Amino acid sequence: MIVSKAKERQDVINMLEGVSSVFLLGCSECASLCGTGSPEALAEMKESLESIGKKVTGMFVAKTGCQVLGTKVELKANKEEVDAADAILVMSCGAGTQSMVEVFKDKKVYPANDTAFLGNMTRFQHFDERCSMCGECIIDKTGGICPVTTCPKGILNGPCGGTNNGFCEVSPDIECAWAKIYARMERTGELEKMKQIIPPKDYSKKLSPKVFVIEKKKEEK
Amino acid sequence: MKKLKEALEAGEFTITAECGPPKGTDIAEMLEHAKHLLGKINAINVTDNQSAVVRIGSLPVCRLLSEMGHDPIFQLTCRDRNRLAIQSDLMGAHILGIKNVLCMTGDHVSAGDHKTAKPVYDLESVQLLQTVAALNGGHDLAGNEMKGATNLYQGAVVTPEANPLEPQMLKFEKKVKAGANFFQTQAIYDMDNFKRFMDRARKFNVKVLAGILLLKNAGMANFLNKFVPGITVPQGLIDRLKAAGKEGALDCGMDIAAEQVRIIKEQGIADGAHVMAIGLENKVPEILKRAGIA
């Protein structure tokens, strides 16, 4: 899921300088699981903003905030509340925030969260980054563990000199990706494969902004 | 004094040392240290923003040392340059008369003095070696033909005391396959361990220079053990440094370094030694003298 972190409250307040009324929008998907866009998080934000004299005209938790059309339809019921607000404060990821930018052409839209990474929830509300969406998956060659993401240097061909008893020189909290890859490929009997040199990555696959359109299959007659 | 490639290919015990360019434009002290080494060593490494701390670039310093009469080894990391800049610098090294390049991935920016910088790592050490091989063959990394190839002697690094060792050895093999001609190792202190490593390294057609890091005092040895992955200073050496006292510690460290070089040479354990004195390059001639070299 997309992991988001709440911005420092003071930063949100600074962002809202000159704004006296806001509409709050959350998201029931990732941001709710992260606790940054759930009904509880919205209620807490409402209370906090009201305590410094801001007016909250209304709030709503979108089903899927990054789904532009669906969210637009959902928000029809809240039209008056949105119209009455100087700005929309979006408590989701950056994609959800920009859905609102697209739907409300003339309204100020601000982010309450920082979008962090694509994460696996490995324990309750504990997220680990395993995939960085590089556009060219190579984990068939690395025992199913992504060195692009889990090695801070993104090394594709084995551990650097900073590998340290299974951990990384960058931080004692990070396991050495290549120690893990080796151990796993040893277990799965794939060490021979590990001897092949992996070529430089094709970064053209990661050029932003990206567009992806699923082509409709031709109907068979 | 033979240059690096000639010395290694002639099978001579080869000595390299290392100098780190300073932060700032006053390079007088570094050049003075380098002068002391003229005629005593086969080649001199010039570090590339070592420990991710911003300093003068390796390439211009290589050129200055070359003009002085040294055979410089251009250390090149992947941390600060993408594949375009790397290839430009390699061709640049060639036209500046630099003959050797040491290919490394590079310390992470989190270790350095610009922690908010964006690390590049478009390539890493194995791919960098392949890049040098491509340029030596007259083609760039995208396969385009070059007007004039480079002619660079390719070096790489290895950590004989890495833990776990097996993945490190696998990478060593990849570096050989990618075109490495010679290796300079991370600092080694335990000679039995190093011999075991060399038994495996000898199966490949590459030259290996043992990394000898001058211990300045017991505190430095403890620091290495605690904070630098892949370096283990045995307790026996730490005790010797302690026993030498404050006044005698450096002299004792020089003795230790000299003994190591002597053992490696006399027993033919490796093809040479890479002596790292970190700012005390002026002590290197004395270390070599004590080791019975020159």
Side-chain angles (χ1 to χ4, degrees):
Chain A
M1 73 184 68
I2 308 297
V3 177
S4 56
K5 298 178 191 172
K7 281 182 180 288
E8 291 295 327
R9 189 53 49 86
Q10 192 55 48
D11 291 340
V12 175
I13 291 166
N14 293 346
M15 204 185 285
L16 295 176
E17 199 189 326
V19 170
S20 54
S21 55
V22 293
F23 179 83
L24 302 178
L25 184 79
C27 174
S28 79
E29 306 269 7
C30 314
S32 275
L33 278 163
C34 293
T36 53
S38 55
E40 296 78 10
L42 266 66
E44 191 277 325
M45 178 68 84
K46 178 174 189 282
E47 202 182 313
S48 161
L49 293 179
E50 284 173 348
S51 75
I52 56 158
K54 305 276 184 202
K55 189 180 178 199
V56 175
T57 62
M59 50 189 200
F60 181 71
V61 176
K63 185 183 173 302
T64 308
C66 55
Q67 222 269 58
V68 180
L69 294 179
T71 307
K72 185 179 181 179
V73 170
E74 277 185 315
L75 277 174
K76 277 187 177 157
N78 302 79
K79 187 178 183 303
E80 281 178 15
E81 294 166 4
V82 174
D83 283 350
D86 292 341
I88 303 173
L89 182 64
V90 187
M91 299 172 67
S92 72
C93 67
T97 307
Q98 292 182 72
S99 290
M100 291 301 93
V101 171
E102 187 166 337
V103 173
F104 298 99
K105 304 271 187 253
D106 305 316
K107 184 73 74 183
K108 296 183 186 94
V109 176
Y110 297 124
N113 297 332
D114 288 319
T115 309
F117 56 92
L118 174 61
N120 288 54
M121 195 198 264
T122 50
R123 295 194 291 277
F124 180 64
Q125 296 199 331
H126 175 117
F127 305 94
D128 287 320
E129 188 181 22
R130 304 247 166 103
C131 169
S132 44
M133 302 188 284
C134 72
E136 183 189 40
C137 194
I138 56 153
I139 66 176
D140 59 305
K141 301 179 181 71
T142 59
I145 294 164
C146 176
V148 177
T149 309
T150 59
C151 165
K153 298 179 186 175
I155 300 178
L156 298 183
N157 284 293
C160 71
T163 184
N164 193 9
N165 297 317
F167 288 86
C168 172
E169 67 173 346
V170 170
S171 160
D173 299 328
I174 302 173
E175 288 181 90
C176 172
W178 280 98
K180 283 170 73 176
I181 290 169
Y182 186 91
R184 186 169 159 88
M185 292 183 88
E186 190 174 34
R187 289 198 303 273
T188 56
E190 292 178 289
L191 283 182
E192 268 315 299
K193 204 197 255 184
M194 204 177 150
K195 289 183 182 166
Q196 290 164 17
I197 295 176
I198 299 179
K201 280 197 75 66
D202 176 359
Y203 282 97
S204 70
K205 300 245 168 72
K206 205 172 161 54
L207 279 187
S208 288
K210 299 176 200 64
V211 177
F212 178 58
V213 183
I214 299 171
E215 285 175 27
K216 279 182 189 159
K217 281 183 187 161
K218 283 178 189 165
E219 281 177 32
E220 285 178 34
K221 282 179 185 173
Chain B
M1 202 88 195
K2 284 197 177 76
K3 292 187 171 179
L4 178 73
K5 187 180 175 191
E6 296 164 41
L8 284 172
E9 287 181 351
E12 281 182 16
F13 191 76
T14 304
I15 300 287
T16 57
E18 180 167 303
C19 71
K23 184 192 288 290
T25 54
D26 184 356
I27 197 165
E29 188 187 346
M30 199 214 80
L31 292 179
E32 191 54 39
H33 280 177
K35 241 180 225 165
H36 284 289
L37 300 172
L38 269 178
K40 316 266 186 201
I41 57 175
N42 298 100
I44 187 161
N45 287 51
V46 182
T47 54
D48 177 17
N49 285 343
Q50 69 268 32
S51 307
V53 170
V54 171
R55 297 162 193 269
I56 303 176
S58 173
L59 191 48
V61 175
C62 280
R63 170 67 191 199
L64 290 183
L65 295 180
S66 167
E67 284 169 8
M68 189 187 278
H70 276 295
D71 182 25
I73 300 172
F74 172 33
Q75 292 198 186
L76 181 62
T77 71
C78 302
R79 177 193 56 237
D80 309 326
R81 309 161 175 84
N82 70 3
R83 64 190 82 175
L84 276 72
I86 281 174
Q87 293 179 94
S88 290
D89 279 354
L90 287 166
M91 288 186 261
H94 178 92
I95 63 159
L96 290 175
I98 312 304
K99 306 290 184 197
N100 320 295
V101 60
L102 188 74
C103 301
M104 292 179 294
T105 299
D107 291 324
H108 196 270
V109 295
S110 64
D113 67 349
H114 285 64
K115 295 185 197 298
T116 55
K118 181 180 184 184
V120 180
Y121 302 122
D122 182 22
L123 307 177
E124 31 85 313
S125 55
V126 174
Q127 297 161 349
L128 175 55
L129 285 160
Q130 288 183 315
T131 305
V132 180
L135 298 189
N136 280 346
H139 287 85
D140 70 12
L141 203 51
N144 301 306
E145 202 171 319
M146 291 155 58
K147 190 175 175 184
T150 57
N151 183 20
L152 294 161
Y153 194 48
Q154 297 181 242
V157 298
V158 65
T159 304
E161 298 200 359
N163 185 5
L165 182 62
E166 290 314 314
Q168 183 79 194
M169 293 310 297
L170 218 136
K171 193 171 188 187
F172 175 83
E173 209 177 318
K174 282 189 181 185
K175 286 180 175 180
V176 176
K177 213 194 290 176
N181 303 115
F182 71 95
F183 281 82
Q184 290 175 315
T185 79
Q186 175 61 289
I188 51 112
Y189 291 100
D190 184 326
M191 217 42 81
D192 290 332
N193 240 342
F194 184 58
K195 276 183 200 164
R196 278 194 289 276
F197 163 79
M198 284 306 301
D199 284 343
R200 298 177 67 175
R202 285 289 186 217
K203 295 190 179 107
F204 301 93
N205 183 27
V206 286
K207 304 290 184 181
V208 178
L209 299 159
I212 304 298
L213 175 59
L214 172 64
L215 294 170
K216 296 171 186 174
N217 49 51
M220 176 183 171
N222 287 323
F223 178 87
L224 293 171
N225 280 346
K226 197 166 174 194
F227 295 111
V228 183
I231 298 186
T232 310
V233 186
Q235 191 56 42
L237 295 185
I238 299 176
D239 292 342
R240 269 177 69 183
L241 289 162
K242 260 189 207 154
K246 239 184 193 167
E247 301 280 296
L250 178 60
D251 196 61
C252 174
M254 289 166 67
D255 272 342
I256 292 170
E259 283 165 23
Q260 290 178 312
V261 174
R262 184 189 288 273
I263 292 170
I264 291 163
K265 186 184 179 193
E266 285 179 0
Q267 299 186 17
I269 299 170
D271 303 296
H274 175 57
V275 184
M276 297 168 272
I278 317 186
L280 292 180
E281 285 74 28
N282 52 343
K283 304 288 182 197
V284 173
E286 174 63 20
I287 294 171
L288 296 175
K289 203 174 150 194
R290 291 186 198 177
I293 293 168

